[in-house]
């Protein structure tokens, strides 16, 4: 009997991780290991005027810009190269690397670190989007503090606005979010025989190699990055490991001994990137039947003090700014704003959660204002197969949203609950609809990544998977092995997947963008089918294949026009809440979700992602307040930065519908980010219904609800 | 590096403390967190410490002359699980931190920490608890309400230790507890309200309302309590808004990383309203 690909198998890493046998970077011993501690800026903006070091005992070094080897540059080679390895003069944010103290004894390092005295000329800095746009303290990026600006246009919004019967304006805002991966950032570096070897908790081994090369003027081949067991990442280990690795590279070349940097939790919360805060302003034109005829969107994201990947995040925000709706006339302006905060960076959803939250809340505000039931109002605008996206691309697949809604509205009792709990009754139910495009935006998979995977059939009948996308807790080791085993028709126990090293595996790209299964899994499937034709399990045979773009996808990266993504995954989330009349605390009574991800490679892993993603989004929506005070994060411990516990939300109902995608392995599409995208809006909509007042920002804390309730 | 004393008896502990000035260390769940540094580095303790958490002679719950006497080193878990413990205290401890921490933390530590957000302290003050302090000079008993004088400040003398918590058994008392935490579990209080009262023939004969995290210390408004005592319940119901307002005016909360002063004021007054409703059967 043939097993369905979706039937769960035991996760290949379950035993070692649940049992505590897995070794993370801080657990792996090295001979003659030195420790590194970053010396950082302590002001938000200004200039360094002096650095006074204590007397360093023998064996201790302070590594800074002057230690960059001949030919090396003081730059980290990310998407742009604006972020220096070591700050010399200009301080753009609190927590920038000045240097690295290195030595054998952490107690001594701790004392030395406390004794470093840095003096500054302090300048006025900016923290918020408004302050950034107003160039508080003077612009520090271009003339206007804008890293990138894009505009999109669909239809003829100007004409439509001139015919509007009514125009509704709205501002929707989202805050910072900290990743809280279970394992903080950590890397160990070794240097010998002219080679740098990194052991890193990371998502993208090849990014690290590329990022550090210019600072130490080394060839890519002489830099080797091993990914080690990684305790969660959520996007936080996409680029930030580059920052640590660059400083470590310079130190390792100078000292020629293994050096380890492992962050402490408070350090990790204080100084590593966060999700981009957003402020999205809508103007929506209605005709006299209250139908939307045009929408104007002005999306601003807080990119922080260096650019990192903000340009790409901004595109996702813009492309998601109409959520699942096909509106006739749309204009979207997007700006990534420079501020003096820790550079914002990748975080599960990569800009989409902000766009979706804003669009969903705005649509529900419009529905309330015109006196229509939200779900009815939204459903009338659903994208359909053949429909047009905001980049004037086409929805190629069948869209099952309507059928999914029939299912989940019944399961959640949406309509009855709506009726029995009128608006303002302190009980409420809310819904959000959402989508996520799988893979890199536009032609990124082709132009930027061009991923390759290799399969090595061995004499003993086993097959090794060689690729650079990583297991970081999300279950990839299991799903990859399952794909290859199924395609070859062998048992999963005959497949091997080891944590990748850049010197052993081809570059299958970074572990990001919901691409690992849809794009890279597909490569594995193709490679396995090819191996099957030429390998009989008794001799060695290697197959390597590369990415092929679906032929019908058209995209222009200059104009951002066409199919921004080849395929989308879809979801609906319904949330029911009760608001306490005295304390304004929100109790979540139920959460119901339904997702269409093509086909699940492993149902248990998919449901795990749904649970984790939805709870993470509910935390973002309600608890995870992260404020800045003089450029520092105010909630910088896990006692103050609140992520949900198992008591904060009820179990999540999770259902899947199938809609196989031709270019995904066994029909699979993207999943990891989709499941984060929608829950925040459904929660906020439920609270809004419960208190009978529009909610315009997250987190929806009891303090914010009190504010809304007192606006009588 | 600091000196750490590990006494075998309370007597030895008192000697260490008076001769070295060592700071009492019970479960360490406040101290170790406050002075933690980073991986592989000792906590930055500024003074010598004397360990107390292991002293069996200070771990007990027993009845004495109409009061429940709790050894100061009894863990929060043991206090919570004991049949003699009043429901109000059980409720408050049940919402403190998480099981692992309650297995280490003690009542002495929660009191000694003197935080206005100390949850057990809030319940104990509503229960009219006093504490016994011991030193080589002898023993004294003080009302808990008067022991804590500011955030992190108490009247504990240089040579004293908290040895016992004394909770009068209020026969027939009714109690009410609400913690507004930063989340549902393992959370610190944004504010909390503990109330304990008694009613005889429709007349309020005893009332204590303690408010946590809304002033520099856990707060009782004795004047309001005095005014309410002896009032008929319907009269209290009539004065609901007025009483809520008096509480609102008496508290002096702050903005901090967990909440805002405005919210604390509003929510505390609403929760006092909830206490009054429970008392009078209103709403
Ligand atoms: C994750 C976490 C969650 C927490 N959640 C809560 C919560 O929900 N509610 C809450 O109220 N607290 C909470 N706390 C704080 C702490 O756990 C409690 O205050 C606990 O009761 C402290 O007890 P301890 O024995 O560990 O104190 P210790 O750390 O040993 O001591 C605390 C203070 O009391 C003094 N002290 C200790 N014993 C004596 C004694 N015998 N005589 C005189 N002084 C003494 C010490 O010198 C010190 O100043 C939390 C802490 C953490 C880390």
């Amino acid at each position: 009997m043939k097993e369905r690909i979706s039937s769960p198998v035991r996760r290949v890493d379950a035993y070692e991780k649940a049992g505590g046998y897995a070794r993370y970077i801080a657990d792996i011993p090295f001979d003659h290991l030195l420790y590194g501690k970053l010396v950082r800026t302590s002001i938000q903006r200004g200039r360094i005027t002096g650095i006074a070091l204590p007397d360093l005992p023998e064996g201790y070094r302070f590594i800074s810009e002057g230690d960059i080897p001949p030919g090396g540059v003081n730059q980290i080679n990310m998407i742009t190269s604006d972020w220096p390895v070591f700050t010399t003069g200009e301080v753009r944010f609190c927590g920038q690397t000045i240097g690295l103290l290195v030595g054998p004894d952490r107690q001594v390092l701790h004392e030395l670190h406390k004794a470093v005295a840095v003096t500054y000329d302090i300048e006025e800095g900016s923290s918020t989007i408004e302050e950034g746009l107003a160039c508080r303290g003077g612009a520090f990026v271009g003339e206007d503090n804008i890293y990138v600006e894009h505009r999109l246009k669909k239809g003829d919004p100007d004409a439509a606005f001139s015919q509007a019967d009514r125009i509704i304006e709205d501002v929707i805002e989202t805050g910072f979010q900290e990743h809280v991966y279970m394992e903080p950032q950590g890397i160990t570096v070794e240097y010998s025989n002219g080679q740098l070897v990194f052991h890193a908790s990371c998502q993208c081994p090849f990014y690290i190699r590329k990022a550090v090369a210019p600072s130490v003027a080394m060839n890519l081949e002489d830099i080797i990055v091993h990914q080690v067991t990684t305790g969660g990442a959520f996007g936080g280990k996409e680029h930030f490991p580059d920052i640590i690795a660059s400083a470590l590279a310079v130190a390792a070349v100078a000292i020629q001994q293994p050096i380890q940097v492992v962050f402490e939790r408070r350090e990790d919360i204080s100084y590593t990137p966060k999700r981009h805060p957003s402020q999205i302003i809508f103007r929506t034109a209605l005709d006299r039947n209250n139908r939307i005829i045009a929408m104007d969107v002005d999306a601003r994201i807080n990119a922080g003090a260096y650019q990192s990947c903000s340009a790409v995040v901004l595109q996702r925000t813009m492309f998601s700014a109409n959520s699942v709706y096909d509106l006739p006339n749309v204009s979207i302006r997007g700006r990534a704003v420079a501020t003096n905060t820790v550079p914002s960076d990748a975080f599960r959803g990569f800009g989409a959660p902000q766009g979706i939250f804003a669009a969903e809340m705005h649509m529900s505000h419009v529905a309330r204002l015109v006196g229509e039931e939200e779900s009815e109002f939204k459903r009338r605008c659903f994208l359909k197969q053949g429909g047009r996206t905001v980049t004037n691309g086409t929805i190629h697949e069948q869209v099952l949203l309507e059928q999914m809604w029939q299912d989940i509205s019944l399961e959640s009792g949406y309509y009855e609950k709506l009726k029995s709990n009128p608006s303002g009754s302190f009980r409420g139910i809310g819904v959000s609809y959402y989508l996520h495009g799988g893979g890199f935006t536009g032609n990124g998979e082709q132009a930027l990544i061009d991923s390759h995977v290799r399969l090595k059939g061995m004499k003993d009948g086993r097959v090794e998977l060689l690729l650079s996308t990583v297991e970081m807790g999300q279950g990839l080791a299991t799903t990859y092995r399952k794909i290859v085993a199924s395609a070859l028709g062998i048992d999963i126990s005959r497949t091997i997947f080891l944590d990748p090293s850049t010197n052993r595996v081809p570059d299958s790209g970074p572990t990001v963008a919901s691409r690992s299964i849809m794009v890279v899994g597909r490569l594995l499937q193709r490679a396995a089918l090819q191996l099957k034709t030429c390998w009989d399990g008794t001799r060695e045979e290697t197959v390597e294949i590369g990415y092929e773009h679906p032929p019908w996808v058209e995209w222009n990266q200059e104009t951002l026009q066409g199919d921004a993504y080849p395929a989308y995954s879809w979801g609906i989330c319904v949330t029911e809440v009760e608001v306490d009349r005295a304390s304004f605390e929100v109790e979540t009574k139920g959460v119901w979700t339904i997702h269409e991800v093509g086909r699940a490679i492993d149902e248990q892993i998919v449901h795990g992602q749904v649970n984790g993603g939805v709870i993470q989004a509910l935390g973002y929506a309600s608890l995870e307040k992260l404020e800045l005070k003089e450029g520092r994060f105010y909630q910088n411990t896990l006692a103050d930065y609140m992520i949900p516990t198992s008591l904060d939300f009820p179990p999540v109902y999770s259902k899947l519908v199938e809609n196989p995608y031709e270019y995904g392995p066994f029909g699979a599409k993207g999943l990891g980010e989709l499941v984060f995208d929608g829950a925040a809006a459904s929660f906020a909509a439920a609270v809004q219904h419960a208190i009978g007042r529009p909610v315009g920002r997250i987190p929806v804390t009891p303090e914010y609800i009190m504010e809304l309730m007192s606006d009588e | 590096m600091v000196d750490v004393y590990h006494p075998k008896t309370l007597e030895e502990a008192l000697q260490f403390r008076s001769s070295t000035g060592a700071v009492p260390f019970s479960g360490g769940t406040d101290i170790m967190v406050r002075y933690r540094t980073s991986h592989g580095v000792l906590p930055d303790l500024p003074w010598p410490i004397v360990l107390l958490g292991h002293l069996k002679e200070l771990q007990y719950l027993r009845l004495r002359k109409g009061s429940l006497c709790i050894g100061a080193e009894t863990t929060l878990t043991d206090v919570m699980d004991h049949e003699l413990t009043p429901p109000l205290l059980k409720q408050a401890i049940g919402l403190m931190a998480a099981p692992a921490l309650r297995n280490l933390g003690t009542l002495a530590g929660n009191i000694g920490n003197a935080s206005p957000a100390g949850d057990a302290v809030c319940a104990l003050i509503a229960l009219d608890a006093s504490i016994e302090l011991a030193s080589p000079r002898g023993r004294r008993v003080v009302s808990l309400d008067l022991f804590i004088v500011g955030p992190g400040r108490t009247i504990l003398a240089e040579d004293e230790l908290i040895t016992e918590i004394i909770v009068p058994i209020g026969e027939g008392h009714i109690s009410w507890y609400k913690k507004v935490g930063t989340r549902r579990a393992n959370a610190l209080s944004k504010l909390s309200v503990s109330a304990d009262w008694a009613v005889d023939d429709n007349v309020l004969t005893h009332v204590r309302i303690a408010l946590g995290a809304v002033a520099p210390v856990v707060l009782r408004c004795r004047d309001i309590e005095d005014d309410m005592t002896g009032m008929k319940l319907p009269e209290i119901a009539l004065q609901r808004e007025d009483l809520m307002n008096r509480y609102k005016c008496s508290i002096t909360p702050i903005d901090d990383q967990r909440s805002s002063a405005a919210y604390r004021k509003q929510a505390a007054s609403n929760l006092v309203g909830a206490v009054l409703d429970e008392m009078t059967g209103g709403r």
Side-chain angles (χ1 to χ4, degrees):
Chain A
M1 197 192 80
K2 201 170 177 318
E3 277 282 303
R4 279 191 322 130
I5 184 89
S6 305
S7 305
V9 299
R10 188 168 102 173
R11 268 182 68 147
V12 296
D13 51 350
Y15 179 75
E16 62 174 49
K17 285 183 179 160
Y21 303 107
R23 291 206 301 177
Y24 296 85
I25 189 63
D27 305 324
I28 303 172
F30 290 84
D31 287 339
H32 310 292
L33 182 65
L34 302 177
Y35 298 94
K37 207 166 160 58
L38 290 163
V39 173
R40 302 187 166 88
T41 57
S42 59
I43 62 161
Q44 184 172 20
R45 185 173 178 187
R47 300 199 71 78
I48 296 175
T49 53
I51 301 170
L53 295 174
D55 286 338
L56 297 182
E58 171 146 9
Y60 290 80
R61 290 276 301 269
F62 178 72
I63 302 295
S64 61
E65 202 224 5
D67 296 289
I68 291 175
V73 291
N74 188 15
Q75 279 175 4
I76 305 166
N77 187 22
M78 303 206 285
I79 295 173
T80 56
S81 297
D82 56 344
W83 196 335
V85 183
F86 301 108
T87 313
T88 49
E90 182 193 18
V91 177
R92 284 198 190 180
F93 70 95
C94 176
Q96 229 171 309
T97 307
I98 298 174
L100 185 67
L101 271 173
V102 181
D105 186 320
R106 286 180 286 186
Q107 188 76 45
V108 176
L109 272 182
H110 174 72
E111 304 301 333
L112 292 173
H113 192 265
K114 282 198 293 190
V116 176
V118 183
T119 49
Y120 305 93
D121 273 344
I122 296 177
E123 293 165 21
E124 188 180 50
S126 56
S127 300
T128 62
I129 291 170
E130 285 96 334
E131 289 171 0
L133 284 175
C135 299
R136 187 164 187 262
F140 66 93
V141 170
E143 314 239 290
D144 52 7
N145 275 351
I146 307 288
Y147 289 113
V148 268
E149 170 161 1
H150 292 300
R151 286 175 194 266
L152 297 174
K153 189 154 139 187
K154 171 181 172 185
D156 189 348
D158 292 340
F161 266 97
S162 69
Q163 287 159 21
D165 200 59
R166 179 174 180 187
I167 293 175
I168 293 175
E169 300 191 356
D170 210 358
V171 183
I172 312 286
E173 293 174 320
T174 63
F176 283 109
Q177 188 183 22
E178 156 61 31
H179 301 84
V180 200
Y181 22 68
M182 287 70 80
E183 178 207 23
Q185 303 273 352
I187 300 181
T188 302
V189 65
E190 297 174 283
Y191 183 78
S192 61
N193 305 325
Q195 281 195 326
L196 270 178
V197 182
F198 291 94
H199 306 263
S201 175
C202 69
Q203 291 175 248
C204 316
F206 279 94
Y207 276 9
I208 296 180
R209 197 176 72 150
K210 168 177 150 261
V212 307
S215 59
V216 283
M218 286 174 61
N219 295 323
L220 290 177
E221 301 72 55
D222 293 327
I223 303 170
I224 297 165
V225 181
H226 296 293
Q227 184 242 358
V228 298
T229 307
T230 297
F234 304 122
K237 295 174 185 170
E238 176 172 352
H239 298 115
F240 194 77
D242 299 358
I243 310 301
I244 307 174
S246 305
L248 272 176
V250 175
V253 170
I255 300 173
Q256 313 220 344
Q257 235 177 289
I259 311 170
Q260 180 176 88
V261 169
V262 173
F263 280 14
E264 190 245 333
R265 179 66 70 181
R266 192 163 27 180
E267 189 180 16
D268 200 296
I269 299 181
S270 300
Y271 305 121
T272 68
K274 309 285 174 268
R275 184 187 296 286
H276 293 73
S278 70
Q279 182 185 57
I280 305 187
I281 300 170
F282 291 89
R283 280 177 66 240
T284 293
L286 303 175
D287 68 11
R288 73 171 55 82
N289 300 317
N290 288 327
R291 297 291 164 269
I292 297 178
I293 52 173
M295 188 179 277
D296 176 67
V297 186
D298 180 1
R300 302 109 175 247
I301 59 171
N302 185 342
Y306 291 100
Q307 186 168 335
S308 193
C309 60
S310 291
V312 198
V313 169
L314 177 69
Q315 289 172 21
R316 276 262 182 202
T317 303
M318 296 173 71
F319 301 166
S320 309
N322 275 0
S323 187
V324 296
Y325 309 111
D326 191 349
L327 307 176
N329 304 292
V330 181
S331 61
I332 303 177
R333 178 186 192 193
R335 281 174 286 178
V337 181
T339 63
N340 300 108
T341 60
V342 177
S344 303
D345 212 291
F347 196 151
R348 197 178 201 169
F350 207 73
Q354 295 93 320
I356 302 258
F357 176 75
E360 287 296 310
M361 294 317 289
H362 176 60
M363 287 291 280
S364 83
H365 292 167
V366 175
R368 290 169 65 87
L369 284 171
V370 303
E372 276 192 58
E373 197 278 307
E374 269 174 50
S375 68
E376 303 292 332
F377 183 79
K378 288 178 170 178
R379 282 163 56 210
R380 232 186 338 259
C381 306
F382 275 171
L383 277 162
K384 297 184 181 63
Q385 188 167 31
R388 246 171 0 124
T389 67
V390 292
T391 56
N392 295 300
T394 308
I395 298 289
H396 295 283
E397 66 222 81
Q398 216 193 337
V399 178
L400 303 182
L401 276 180
E402 194 53 50
Q403 165 196 334
M404 288 157 68
W405 174 242
Q406 298 310 330
D407 193 320
I408 205 72
S409 58
L410 268 183
E411 188 65 44
S412 60
Y414 179 83
Y415 290 108
E416 290 139 57
K417 286 174 181 165
L418 209 56
K419 223 181 283 159
S420 55
N421 303 302
S423 176
S425 64
F426 284 84
R427 271 190 92 117
I429 192 156
V431 57
S432 64
Y433 307 95
Y434 44 100
L435 79 176
H436 199 95
F440 264 62
T441 300
N443 61 352
E445 291 291 346
Q446 235 171 336
L448 302 175
I449 304 296
D450 184 26
S451 45
H452 284 252
V453 304
R454 196 183 303 146
L455 287 182
K456 195 167 128 198
M458 296 188 276
K459 282 194 204 123
D460 61 4
R462 295 187 302 160
V463 185
E464 182 172 2
L465 286 60
L466 295 155
L467 67 170
S468 67
T469 21
V470 309
E471 169 67 62
M472 52 189 174
Q474 84 281 45
L476 212 54
T478 307
T479 43
Y480 276 169
R481 287 176 57 178
K482 212 171 162 184
I483 287 170
V484 170
S486 294
L488 281 170
I490 62 174
D491 192 80
I492 191 170
S493 62
R494 285 171 59 196
T495 58
I496 300 169
F497 174 86
L498 302 174
D499 293 336
S501 282
T502 54
N503 63 341
R504 290 187 66 238
V505 303
D507 186 354
S508 64
T511 319
V512 304
S514 302
R515 65 185 293 278
S516 304
I517 291 293
M518 184 176 108
V519 175
V520 184
R522 164 79 175 171
L523 296 183
L524 281 176
Q525 185 191 30
R526 281 174 45 213
L529 292 174
Q530 193 176 323
L531 187 69
K532 200 173 177 178
T533 65
C534 60
W535 175 67
D536 61 5
T538 63
R539 57 196 169 74
E540 277 190 19
E541 189 72 58
T542 297
V543 167
E544 177 165 334
I545 61 155
Y547 179 72
E548 282 170 18
H549 214 50
W552 32 266
V553 172
E554 284 176 22
W555 178 254
N556 181 331
Q557 184 60 32
E558 293 303 305
T559 57
L560 302 182
Q561 291 294 295
D563 293 328
Y565 307 99
Y568 295 85
S569 303
W570 307 81
I572 306 178
C573 180
V574 175
T575 304
E576 187 189 1
V577 302
E578 182 167 355
V579 177
D580 188 290
R581 288 167 196 261
S583 66
F584 311 112
E585 290 168 291
V586 181
E587 182 182 351
T588 304
K589 296 289 199 185
V591 184
W592 296 265
T593 67
I594 186 162
H595 291 103
E596 190 267 273
V597 295
R599 177 173 286 141
I601 297 300
D602 188 287
E603 275 162 1
Q604 183 168 295
I605 289 180
V606 172
H607 288 303
Q609 287 288 305
V610 172
N611 262 300
V614 166
I615 298 296
Q616 193 172 36
L618 290 171
Y620 178 48
S622 62
L623 296 171
E624 298 182 33
K625 182 179 71 175
L626 188 52
E627 299 164 311
L628 280 166
K629 225 182 161 187
E630 285 141 29
R632 289 171 177 276
F633 292 116
Y634 200 16
Q635 293 79 13
N636 67 354
T637 69
L638 291 183
D640 290 328
Y641 185 76
M642 288 291 109
I643 58 170
T645 67
S646 56
L647 291 184
D648 284 278
F649 298 104
V652 175
Y653 173 88
S654 165
K655 185 162 181 177
L656 302 174
V657 290
E658 286 203 347
N659 185 17
Y661 167 55
E662 192 193 340
Y663 279 80
F666 299 95
K669 297 191 279 192
L671 159 73
E673 294 172 285
L674 172 77
V675 295
F676 182 89
D677 288 344
S682 82
F683 176 88
V687 171
Q688 175 170 277
H689 184 78
I691 63 174
R693 287 161 173 77
V695 167
R697 62 169 206 252
I698 45 174
V700 186
T701 58
E703 288 80 1
Y704 175 42
I705 296 176
M706 179 194 78
E707 229 174 84
L708 292 171
M709 298 301 293
S710 56
D711 279 0
E712 299 278 331
Chain B
M1 291 284 206
V2 298
D3 288 333
V4 176
Y5 300 97
H6 188 271
K8 291 194 190 59
T9 59
L10 171 61
E11 200 189 326
E12 227 178 273
L14 290 171
Q15 267 166 21
F16 280 137
R17 172 141 165 89
S18 60
S19 60
T20 64
V23 166
F25 184 110
S26 293
T29 64
D30 273 313
I31 294 180
M32 290 301 280
V33 173
R34 171 141 356 113
Y35 296 100
R36 76 187 184 283
T37 49
S38 54
H39 313 288
V41 182
L42 294 171
D44 266 339
L45 292 175
W47 10 250
I49 54 175
V50 50
L51 302 176
L52 303 170
H54 60 287
L55 292 178
K56 289 274 177 278
E57 63 187 294
L58 292 179
Q59 296 172 7
Y60 55 84
L61 286 100
R62 61 173 87 103
L63 287 175
R64 199 174 60 215
K65 294 188 221 147
S67 287
L68 172 66
C69 300
I70 308 173
E73 300 302 324
T74 316
T75 64
L76 294 168
T77 301
D78 286 344
V79 177
M80 180 175 81
D81 290 347
H82 204 278
E83 54 181 12
L84 292 174
T85 303
L88 183 61
L89 187 56
K90 279 186 186 238
Q91 263 177 295
I93 296 177
L95 291 173
M96 282 175 72
L101 195 128
R102 296 196 293 261
N103 290 339
L104 271 180
T106 63
L107 282 185
N110 201 241
I111 295 168
N113 194 44
S115 160
D119 291 326
V121 169
C122 181
L124 285 169
I125 285 183
L127 291 169
D128 258 344
S130 356
I131 57 176
E132 182 193 68
L133 307 173
S135 75
R137 296 172 286 123
R139 289 168 192 251
R140 59 173 175 150
V141 172
V142 298
S143 162
L144 177 56
D145 190 18
L146 303 175
F147 175 73
I148 300 174
V149 293
R153 285 178 26 238
T154 69
I155 57 166
L156 187 77
E158 295 279 293
D159 59 353
E160 276 179 326
L161 292 173
I162 303 169
T163 46
E164 191 175 84
I165 293 92
I166 304 146
V167 189
I169 304 283
E171 286 299 342
H173 282 204
I174 304 163
S175 64
W176 192 95
Y177 182 73
K178 169 79 183 173
K179 165 171 173 168
V180 181
T182 44
R183 66 182 161 205
R184 286 186 177 269
N186 207 1
L188 298 170
S189 284
K190 289 179 181 178
L191 74 151
S192 67
V193 177
S194 307
D196 178 86
W197 68 88
V199 174
D200 186 15
D201 195 17
N202 227 20
V203 171
L204 190 67
T205 55
H206 171 96
V207 61
R208 300 282 181 272
I209 298 176
L211 302 172
V214 294
V217 294
V218 172
L219 190 82
R220 257 181 70 191
C221 300
R222 287 162 190 272
D223 52 336
I224 311 180
E225 289 174 2
D226 288 348
D227 291 352
M228 284 168 71
T229 310
M231 268 164 74
K232 284 207 153 44
L233 295 184
E235 211 178 320
I236 294 178
L238 277 178
Q239 291 194 23
R240 181 180 188 273
E241 301 298 314
D242 185 43
L243 289 165
M244 282 167 64
N245 246 326
R246 284 178 68 188
Y247 271 98
K248 198 173 181 174
C249 297
S250 309
I251 62 181
T252 49
I254 55 164
D255 286 325
D256 65 10
Q257 72 275 30
R258 284 178 212 132
S259 188
S260 66
Y263 172 79
R264 288 179 159 123
K265 247 185 193 289
Q266 183 65 53
S269 134
N270 291 354
L271 290 174
V272 166
V275 171
L276 299 177
D277 293 342
E278 183 71 24
M279 200 180 270
T280 61
R283 297 268 152 141

